[in-house]
Amino acid sequence: MTETFLKYLQSEKRLSAHTVLAYQTDLEQFSTFLHTDYEDLPEKANHAMVRAWIVSLVNAKLDPRSVNRKIACLRSFYKYLQRQKVVTKDPMAKIKVLKTQKKLPHFLKEGEIISLLDNLPFDTQSFEGCRDRLMLELFYATGIRLTELLTLREEHVDIYNHTIRVLGKRNKERVIPFPLGIVPILEGYRMVKHRDIENKNHGLLFVTVQGEPCYRKMVYRTVKKYLEQYTHVQKKSPHVLRHTYATHLLNKGAEINAVKDLLGHSSLAATQVYTHNSIEKLKKAFELAHPKA
């Protein structure tokens, strides 16, 4: 049933390939645990077995967020099995998520990101230099996710209206504006791409030097390489640029619901984490101005 469940996640729930792979790994680990400790299958698991697995993960010092993702995976799996009438009782019914410490998102200061984008020695005559520059600029200018950047198609870039159309989580489409300054960078990349790279007819904007679609590890390595040169932020990943985009918008007075829509969040709670820096500024203003502060 595991394979049919994963196909269901991909074809019907429209979860990203990254999420489906994570769920597959979780289910494989759970199956191994059940086989080793109980000589049983996931379809036969009960509350006590699930709880024993979670306890083993906690004892192994696994991060609570990772444990909670595995719990979410099993909840989704057993709901699916119930709908398919494979199981009659949900072993996840009384399982609770672990408490987690709220972490503030890592982000770059305005001076850092501007210095990075303005001063990095991109080779604008080479394909890779043009591609890397556009990649970093677009991450910060639009706040798109890594998967959204990888699946961005040429036809979804509207150079005249300065917008991109992206397909987010669960195939939710949204249109994001980008600043006028991106236009020459985008045009320069397209020119070099058309000149130097073989067209593979997949229609994707970002490609490798062989003309194949870019992949996650390559983009991670690219972003990390450039962030290491100009910033001291602890984490160096594409998501840091997304955090930076959201934080700077809110710091400049953008309405939180508008930022929610730009980021493609399904709930306001996910966006509110980015108000951390704005609140700190308000506290400082209060302490400076209020007579009893």
Side-chain angles (χ1 to χ4, degrees), residues 156 165-168 171-175:
H156 294 158
R165 184 156 47 94
V166 300
L167 208 58
N171 272 14
K172 289 183 180 177
E173 193 176 83
R174 69 187 191 280
V175 175

Side-chain angles (χ1 to χ4, degrees), residues 57-252:
L57 296 173
V58 173
N59 289 340
K61 308 295 183 185
L62 193 66
D63 185 272
R65 284 179 174 78
S66 297
V67 177
N68 286 342
R69 192 203 66 211
K70 294 176 189 297
I71 291 172
C73 168
L74 290 188
R75 277 187 177 154
S76 183
F77 178 61
Y78 283 109
K79 282 180 182 177
Y80 173 78
L81 293 187
Q82 279 188 304
R83 285 196 297 272
Q84 300 299 314
K85 303 190 185 306
V86 175
V87 300
T88 56
K89 193 172 181 180
D90 184 1
M92 301 300 296
K94 294 182 181 179
I95 298 293
K96 295 181 179 179
V97 296
L98 306 185
K99 289 184 178 179
T100 57
Q101 191 175 15
K102 208 169 192 179
K103 288 184 179 179
L104 294 178
H106 295 269
F107 67 97
L108 280 68
K109 295 177 181 178
E110 283 187 44
E112 284 183 315
I113 187 65
I114 298 302
S115 176
L116 176 95
L117 297 175
D118 288 352
N119 298 319
L120 275 176
F122 294 104
D123 179 7
T124 54
Q125 297 304 308
S126 73
F127 166 73
E128 287 181 293
C130 290
R131 182 198 62 199
D132 293 355
R133 184 183 182 190
L134 178 62
M135 199 177 277
L136 265 73
E137 290 274 5
L138 212 54
F139 270 131
Y140 176 58
T142 63
I144 56 174
R145 302 177 177 97
L146 172 54
T147 302
E148 294 168 348
L149 179 126
L150 292 173
T151 55
L152 185 62
R153 301 179 66 80
E154 288 271 9
E155 65 197 61
H156 294 158
V157 179
D158 187 340
I159 205 163
Y160 301 104
N161 293 311
H162 312 137
T163 60
I164 58 171
R165 184 156 47 94
V166 300
L167 208 58
K169 290 185 176 180
R170 293 174 176 80
N171 272 14
K172 289 183 180 177
E173 193 176 83
R174 69 187 191 280
V175 175
I176 311 171
F178 60 78
L180 186 62
I182 294 289
V183 173
I185 300 170
L186 180 59
E187 288 179 329
Y189 167 69
R190 278 177 162 170
M191 182 188 71
V192 176
K193 180 185 176 187
H194 179 72
R195 183 191 71 195
D196 298 345
I197 307 301
E198 181 186 353
N199 184 11
K200 300 286 187 175
N201 295 317
H202 46 58
L204 294 174
L205 178 64
F206 288 101
V207 298
T208 65
V209 290
Q210 292 79 28
E212 300 296 340
C214 287
Y215 49 95
R216 298 182 69 88
K217 282 189 178 179
M218 189 211 82
V219 178
Y220 262 103
R221 285 198 301 264
T222 300
V223 172
K224 184 179 179 182
K225 178 179 74 173
Y226 290 113
L227 290 187
E228 281 179 338
Q229 295 184 48
Y230 271 86
T231 71
H232 304 290
V233 69
Q234 188 177 351
K235 287 192 175 182
K236 299 173 178 67
S237 69
H239 222 64
V240 168
L241 297 176
R242 178 172 163 85
H243 293 329
T244 302
Y245 167 82
T247 301
H248 291 179
L249 281 178
L250 288 167
N251 283 351
K252 293 293 186 180

